[in-house]
Amino acid sequence: MREFFTVGGRRLSYLDFGGSGAPLLALHGHYNEASAFAPLAEALAPRWRVITLDQRGHGESDRAESYEREDYVADVAALHRHLKIGPAVVLGHSLGGVNAYQYASRHADRVTALVVEDIGAVVDCDWSFTTTLPRRASSREALASVLGTAAPYLECSVRQSTDGWGFSFDIDDTVASQKALNGDHWADWMAVTCPTLLIRGTRSDELTAAHAREMVARRPGQARLAELPAGHVVHHDAEAQFAAEVGAFLSELA
């Protein structure tokens, strides 16, 4: 079910897949929105009640003036307070993965476990692909044709408007967000104290095997690594395996 709440005068949207299970907050990456985790929510039900946020400037959530690190983390905190669900598991992909571990580092008492999908503790994001995205196309098919092999990954964000077909995110806002995502976030990663699963796609162009192993090695006994045959969007490329890895990790929580 889609729900809305307001924070700082802006409206944020989220999908609550419902059920009586333990809460899991899921945070998507750039170019995506809350619905990207619908297959995961179905796979984890009924043990887990998955709630996915349309992050600022994405999906049905309002655009924002700023896309800095603390802005995103504050939105996660606002959603968590709004839901009144107590401590929860937090999962995030790419942009959402950094948001997730930064939230966990600042609110240790609110996060019981963490799942980070294919993003590192040091981020060097390239926004050149973003600047090549078409702002409008004459049809859904025309838009998909321009996107080529990237089309399946952006499908959930495609929207029709009065002047053609485009996306539920703004291209300039996305560039600003990607620039703000870059940096050395080791201090945040190291500050996380809850059990953590880091998932990497073996064909990822974002997270190298060496960096992923270093992330886990720096948090011995707390973090583990799972590598799946996928690119950067592991939950899309290896949907069933991703859900199985997450489910197995969560089943070990007391």
Side-chain angles (χ1 to χ4, degrees):
M1 179 182 297
R2 183 171 296 282
E3 303 281 357
F4 296 89
F5 69 106
T6 302
V7 56
R10 289 180 305 101
R11 191 177 74 158
L12 291 175
S13 166
Y14 64 95
L15 292 177
D16 186 346
F17 289 89
S20 58
L24 184 153
L25 307 183
L27 308 172
H28 62 78
H30 285 121
Y31 316 130
N32 273 168
E33 54 187 66
S35 62
F37 286 117
L40 178 66
E42 181 178 0
L44 295 181
R47 175 66 182 86
W48 295 91
R49 171 191 171 191
V50 176
I51 302 157
T52 66
L53 176 66
D54 274 342
Q55 300 196 84
R56 58 174 52 210
H58 296 77
E60 301 303 313
S61 289
D62 289 343
R63 292 178 59 181
E65 294 293 326
S66 173
Y67 294 89
E68 297 296 324
R69 296 286 74 239
E70 296 306 321
D71 299 323
Y72 278 111
V73 174
D75 287 346
V76 180
L79 171 65
H80 208 160
R81 289 194 302 271
H82 168 77
L83 292 169
K84 297 182 175 64
I85 54 173
V89 172
V90 181
L91 175 152
H93 169 239
S94 196
L95 162 73
V98 178
N99 297 347
Y101 69 67
Q102 288 186 328
Y103 180 66
S105 74
R106 293 156 173 72
H107 302 276
D109 61 328
R110 303 287 289 157
V111 181
T112 57
L114 178 68
V115 180
V116 175
E117 179 189 350
D118 212 73
I119 196 69
V122 177
V123 181
D124 184 16
C125 184
D126 179 0
W127 51 86
S128 60
F129 172 74
T130 308
T131 59
T132 67
L133 291 173
R135 294 179 184 269
R136 286 292 181 269
S138 59
S139 66
R140 179 185 285 272
E141 293 73 23
L143 186 60
S145 177
V146 173
L147 294 173
T149 57
Y153 300 105
L154 280 70
E155 184 177 7
C156 68
S157 300
V158 171
R159 295 286 194 281
Q160 184 179 22
S161 59
T162 56
D163 59 346
W165 289 79
F167 305 105
S168 58
F169 57 86
D170 179 82
I171 291 173
D172 294 333
D173 286 354
T174 301
V175 170
S177 179
Q178 289 174 311
K179 289 180 178 179
L181 181 62
N182 283 350
D184 183 328
H185 308 305
W186 272 118
D188 296 304
W189 175 257
M190 295 299 295
V192 175
T193 57
C194 63
T196 300
L197 174 65
L198 176 63
I199 299 180
R200 175 183 174 268
T202 56
R203 301 189 304 274
S204 174
D205 57 2
E206 178 61 45
L207 178 61
T208 68
H211 187 63
R213 288 167 189 149
E214 182 181 3
M215 290 172 70
V216 171
R218 289 202 190 186
R219 290 182 52 208
Q222 288 185 340
R224 69 173 70 170
L225 173 64
E227 295 182 289
L228 298 178
H232 176 52
V233 191
V234 187
H235 67 265
H236 179 279
D237 292 349
E239 183 180 295
Q241 292 164 287
F242 180 83
E245 285 287 351
V246 173
F249 170 68
L250 297 178
S251 70
E252 298 175 9
L253 301 178

